[in-house]
Amino acid sequence: MKNSWKFSTILSAISLFFLSLSAFAQHVTKIAVGTDRNYYKIFLTFNGKPKYKLFKDPKRDIITLKLENTYRFSKEFYSTTIVGEKNLITIFVRNPKLDTARAKVVRKYRTLVLYIPFKRKKPAKYVVVIDPGHGGKDPGATYYGYKEKNINLAVAKKLYYLLSKDPRFKVYLTRKGDYFVSLAGRQKFTAKVGADLFISLHCNANPFKPYRRGAEFYVLSDKGIYRKWRDLAVHPAEAENFLDPKMVRDRTVRKKVIKTSLEFTQEEGEEFAKVVRHYWCRFLSREIPCGEIYKRSFAVLKVPGVPTLLVEMGYMTNRRDLYILTNNRYQWSIARTLYRAILDYFNLKSYKKN
């Protein structure tokens, strides 16, 4: 009995010791944001006096603080998404008017204040990358004399036209003609131009079920996150295509920021997919039925820090869908619907010329 009592007493003491350690471990106790004429400000208050190291990736609008932090959290504001995990806090800047390159941190006892200045130049534009699937030696699905690559490009060019006429956007195509671009090349191009959004256009096919029809929407899966994270975590040279070299050189920052960025890609991709599906159901479901949102490990969706979506616009193996997909008037309807969805995602109203 005495030994049993002593053992339980020791266990209780050990438990109290670790509880006391966790109670005093550094973590964020409060997050707030604010603005003035010159700065967007993020206030991170800790339960102790934090020591930090600042990393910035202006091209991808990512700011990272390497510091002791034991609690995982995610906080979303209009201009930023703030994600915390062990020893790292990552800020995804979503407002193109903010200048990530000139961000700075000031410590005020237990609070870190991150100052992100507003850009002084003309209003910044949202960067959108449109990816016409397949191309060149890769025709995609081919049925009834039609090639998927041509349909994808036709719709992509129409969407490109609509966005390029809106001064709030800077828009790119991963291919402008009938030539081959590798999947890795599409990923790297999207990261290189600092995209705020990526949308890949495809057509579906199921020769065993020709009655099957409708649009479907695909976002990055958990398996896709893990595979891309594993690849970039162990290949620093490859990771430099997606992160600032200073971030890549710090192994801890590289591994954690890549993971957090891919999770952001998935979460924001899902939000965008919901918006696109809503508009498709509203404006196009009478022509091509409105399908569901699915998670997949498609290569083009694996762009860390960029919301990505792949749209299968309809089934080429279905005669009705194929007619819509190859009809110039309906292609414009698809492009206009996607344009409306992009405006909604960025909380923008329809553009009207003065």
Side-chain angles (χ1 to χ4, degrees):
M1 289 291 293
K2 286 183 178 181
N3 289 337
S4 176
W5 179 83
K6 286 181 180 179
F7 183 69
S8 62
T9 303
I10 292 170
L11 280 179
S12 298
I14 292 172
S15 299
L16 286 171
F17 173 73
F18 282 108
L19 281 171
S20 64
L21 280 180
S22 63
F24 290 104
Q26 182 174 284
H27 60 271
V28 175
T29 59
K30 184 179 178 182
I31 301 174
V33 299
T35 60
D36 58 30
R37 288 183 61 186
N38 299 310
Y39 292 99
Y40 178 90
K41 294 176 283 188
I42 300 174
F43 302 87
L44 301 168
T45 302
F46 294 79
N47 61 339
K49 192 173 180 180
K51 295 180 180 180
Y52 67 91
K53 188 173 182 180
L54 176 66
F55 296 86
K56 296 180 287 186
D57 189 342
K59 184 175 284 187
R60 280 156 283 274
D61 287 326
I62 298 175
I63 299 171
T64 296
L65 294 169
K66 184 181 179 182
L67 76 180
E68 183 185 342
N69 178 62
T70 57
Y71 288 178
R72 182 170 177 81
F73 63 85
S74 181
K75 193 80 172 176
E76 188 168 334
F77 299 94
Y78 176 77
S79 294
T80 57
T81 297
I82 305 169
V83 179
E85 55 185 322
K86 187 176 181 181
N87 300 329
L88 212 72
I89 294 176
T90 304
I91 297 99
F92 298 93
V93 180
R94 304 174 63 190
N95 187 343
K97 296 179 181 179
L98 298 177
D99 190 349
T100 309
R102 295 192 294 126
K104 63 181 181 180
V105 177
V106 175
R107 183 172 60 194
K108 298 182 177 180
Y109 185 49
R110 292 188 303 160
T111 298
L112 294 182
V113 184
L114 177 63
Y115 292 88
I116 310 175
F118 289 98
K119 292 178 179 176
R120 297 165 183 162
K121 300 178 182 179
K122 58 184 179 181
K125 298 181 179 183
Y126 290 102
V127 179
V128 177
V129 173
I130 307 167
D131 174 47
H134 306 285
K137 65 182 181 181
D138 175 17
T142 303
Y143 289 94
Y144 307 112
Y146 293 98
K147 295 179 179 179
E148 180 190 350
K149 64 179 182 178
N150 297 330
I151 299 171
N152 299 339
L153 184 61
V155 178
K157 283 185 172 180
K158 291 174 174 62
L159 178 57
Y160 176 91
Y161 174 84
L162 295 173
L163 286 167
S164 63
K165 292 298 181 183
D166 189 327
R168 297 168 295 183
F169 292 97
K170 187 171 182 61
V171 58
Y172 296 92
L173 289 166
T174 56
R175 65 178 179 95
K176 297 180 180 179
D178 185 18
Y179 51 86
F180 177 75
V181 181
S182 69
L183 297 176
R186 297 170 200 247
Q187 290 180 24
K188 292 173 184 177
F189 175 80
T190 302
K192 181 181 178 181
V193 300
D196 297 303
L197 190 67
F198 171 91
I199 180 167
S200 187
L201 302 179
H202 286 255
C203 299
N204 227 327
N206 191 334
F208 303 104
K209 296 180 180 179
Y211 55 85
R212 188 164 184 173
R213 59 189 306 245
E216 296 170 356
F217 313 93
Y218 293 87
V219 298
L220 186 60
S221 66
D222 294 341
K223 183 185 290 185
I225 289 176
Y226 173 73
R227 287 179 175 174
K228 191 64 176 180
W229 172 83
R230 182 187 60 195
D231 291 343
L232 297 183
V234 300
H235 295 105
E238 186 67 18
E240 286 192 9
N241 291 305
F242 302 95
L243 288 178
D244 184 86
K246 290 182 179 179
M247 288 185 174
V248 173
R249 284 194 287 271
D250 189 305
R251 186 170 180 270
T252 300
V253 172
R254 180 176 78 247
K255 293 177 70 173
K256 290 183 178 294
V257 171
I258 288 170
K259 183 174 183 294
T260 306
S261 297
L262 285 166
E263 289 171 349
F264 175 85
T265 293
Q266 182 192 67
E267 291 166 7
E268 285 299 310
E270 286 188 57
E271 290 303 311
F272 181 47
K274 291 175 184 176
V275 175
V276 172
R277 184 179 183 276
H278 167 77
Y279 276 85
W280 195 290
C281 292
R282 180 178 175 184
F283 293 106
L284 289 173
S285 59
R286 291 180 64 181
E287 285 76 35
I288 296 181
C290 183
E292 298 300 322
I293 298 171
Y294 302 97
K295 291 185 178 181
R296 293 292 186 272
S297 184
F298 297 148
V300 291
L301 297 176
K302 301 175 185 177
V303 187
V306 180
T308 57
L309 173 67
L310 186 148
V311 180
E312 294 279 7
M313 298 179 287
Y315 279 80
M316 292 181 66
T317 43
N318 180 276
R319 290 283 192 174
R320 175 61 182 168
D321 276 10
L322 184 62
Y323 171 76
I324 301 295
L325 292 170
T326 55
N327 182 286
N328 186 65
R329 182 167 67 89
Y330 287 122
Q331 287 177 351
W332 276 109
S333 296
I334 294 171
R336 280 191 290 269
T337 298
L338 295 175
Y339 172 63
R340 290 189 185 106
I342 291 170
L343 289 181
D344 191 318
Y345 175 75
F346 286 117
N347 198 30
L348 298 172
K349 294 180 180 180
S350 297
Y351 174 67
K352 295 181 180 179
K353 294 182 180 180
N354 293 328

